[in-house]
Amino acid sequence: MQLDTIIRGGRLVSAGETTRADLGIRGERIVAIGSQLTRKLADGAKVIDARGRYVIPGGVDAHVHLALPFCGTVSTDDYDSGTRAAACGGVTTVIDFAIPYGKETLQQAVDNWHARADGKACVDYSFHLAITDWQRQKRDVRRMIDRGIPTFKQFMIYAREGWQSDDAAIYEALETLRDLGGMLCVHAESSRVLDLLIDRHHNRAEMKKHGVYLHTITRPHFIEAEAIERAIRWAKVTGGRLFVVHVSTGEGADLVKRAQEEGVHVLAETCAQYLVLDDSVFAGKDGHLYATCPQVKRPRDQKRLWAGLAGGEVCSVSTDTCTFNRKQKAMWKGDWTKIPMGMPGLETLLPIVYTHGVLKRRLTVNQFVDKCCTTPAKVMGLHPRKGVLQIGSDADITIIHPTRKRKVDWRKMQTNCDWSPYQGWELAGFSEHTFCRGQQVVKDYRFVGRNGHGRFVPRANLGRP
Ligand code: URP
Ligand code: ZN
Ligand code: ZN
């Protein structure tokens, strides 16, 4: 058999085991895994020496927002910079959220997102679909699932953006998706009490006194916990499949674990920032840069979320990449309610989880692969095409050095952002070589891919829970 590329002598890491083997690529697929491939099949093949390296499936970041119109501006990483960043971070598939604006239909939202990505994306991508008006949009859900989008999102906040769903919409969406083989993702924060707390503190004296720390004061832990609890209740009574996005609190992980033990079909992700940042970031001069919804919490939450990853109740890590540069963040002018919410993250996802998880012995290297590659592919309907190194799967492959660290510096990264939440941090786990569907997109830590290589990946119906 003629091979295009052989990755020689690396330690192949799956969610379950680590083995030493060569890996052969032909076209877009993995076609051989075994020993001595270079001796048997090297004729004409490019050989990548992976001795002393981990060879893992390309990362799957199931939560990104690229070029998102939000908070009165548009997030600055688009399908060009965002997917270049993904490649350099070892992520070969991103799932973005297509959001209908105004009276747009779900199909129009998908078309708009295709237009953003077509010809620009350097790694593969898929979309979740946001439900912003259930009564109007529900009739189109089946068609969207048939077109390869089985996951939908409802926001329990963001009335100002016109995105918010009420309990009835969540309840009925869970019922509908249960029957059609879909899954409902929720952004769980309790809007009524949140709005009350915001109103209570939204005055000159408070803003002068607390500055951006009001973001934390107005979002106590129960704001997330109560909303997760309520969403879980609707999942329990409907039997629908629920995925709680960006869980930031220990309470959230506790609630999800308890519900899973009761047999509720609920899964939860966290994001890299909730594992390594805490709300002391808001005390600094640039504290407003770190504002996201939900905001980063406390060290005890980090500890609980790491434990949740190891224990399994938190099934995956994503980034919620939604990048705003300094100029955009400066729109706040001292009023925390006006900060564009979100941070860059795609290029640092794997390095953060590897360095702070594996090297700090919170996760095994197999759990790292499970949380960043295999499980997100499985729960989102991409597996076994993505998220695994096996014959027949897409040749989405990331090669990392087990200990070599690089210093984070936004100036040397692919992001359009002019700051990084991790500036100056020393991280291992950056991709030395990345392949996306057989094409090398990173070589010796340098981006060598091209716009338009990334393709939309239709996803499978998830079946009845
Ligand atoms: O602050 C965030 N997370 N911005 C993106 C929108 C969302 O809520 O996921
Ligand atoms: Zn959200
Ligand atoms: Zn998000």
Side-chain angles (χ1 to χ4, degrees), residues 10-232:
R11 277 179 276 171
L12 272 51
V13 187
S14 73
E17 59 178 0
T18 307
T19 51
R20 199 176 297 274
D22 299 338
L23 189 148
I25 301 171
R26 185 183 164 125
E28 300 190 339
R29 297 281 153 86
I30 297 172
V31 294
I33 296 176
S35 61
Q36 308 283 331
L37 292 188
T38 39
R39 199 156 53 77
K40 300 179 209 155
L41 299 165
D43 248 9
K46 173 163 94 177
V47 177
I48 305 279
D49 185 0
R51 285 173 299 175
R53 308 291 195 270
Y54 285 129
V55 179
I56 68 171
V60 176
D61 186 345
H63 190 149
V64 307
H65 305 275
L66 298 176
L68 178 72
F70 186 45
C71 300
T73 182
V74 179
S75 68
T76 188
D77 275 318
D78 59 7
Y79 274 84
D80 175 19
S81 65
T83 59
R84 277 191 275 119
C88 288
V91 169
T92 51
T93 309
V94 299
I95 314 184
D96 195 349
F97 293 83
I99 303 183
Y101 286 80
K103 295 276 173 230
E104 283 171 0
T105 62
L106 296 183
Q107 185 59 55
Q108 282 168 326
V110 172
D111 292 345
N112 292 341
W113 253 259
H114 274 301
R116 285 169 162 78
D118 278 356
K120 268 195 173 181
C122 306
V123 301
D124 285 352
Y125 56 93
S126 189
F127 306 135
H128 310 279
L129 250 168
I131 303 277
T132 50
D133 181 349
W134 173 249
Q135 288 309 326
R136 203 167 45 77
Q137 292 158 347
K138 63 183 176 184
R139 61 178 168 272
D140 294 329
V141 164
R142 181 193 294 270
R143 201 164 349 118
M144 296 299 116
I145 295 177
D146 291 344
R147 292 182 185 170
I149 303 181
T151 49
F152 295 78
K153 179 172 185 185
Q154 287 179 322
F155 297 91
M156 295 170 86
I157 61 164
Y158 297 142
R160 191 174 68 181
E161 305 287 333
W163 295 354
Q164 187 173 6
S165 290
D166 64 16
D167 286 349
I170 293 171
Y171 179 90
E172 208 172 45
L174 280 161
E175 283 182 327
T176 303
L177 293 170
R178 173 199 63 205
D179 296 340
L180 296 177
M183 177 162 76
L184 184 66
C185 305
V186 289
H187 173 134
E189 289 189 289
S190 208
S191 70
R192 290 291 181 96
V193 180
L194 173 58
D195 288 345
L196 171 80
L197 296 181
I198 290 175
D199 280 351
R200 208 177 261 176
H201 292 278
H202 198 218
N203 59 67
R204 252 172 213 274
E206 289 276 292
M207 289 195 276
K208 192 155 181 247
K209 184 167 169 204
H210 299 292
V212 70
Y213 201 69
L214 284 172
H215 190 35
T216 281
I217 293 172
T218 52
R219 279 180 148 86
H221 285 52
F222 64 75
I223 291 291
E224 176 173 277
E226 186 279 334
I228 292 180
E229 207 165 9
R230 196 154 25 98
I232 285 175

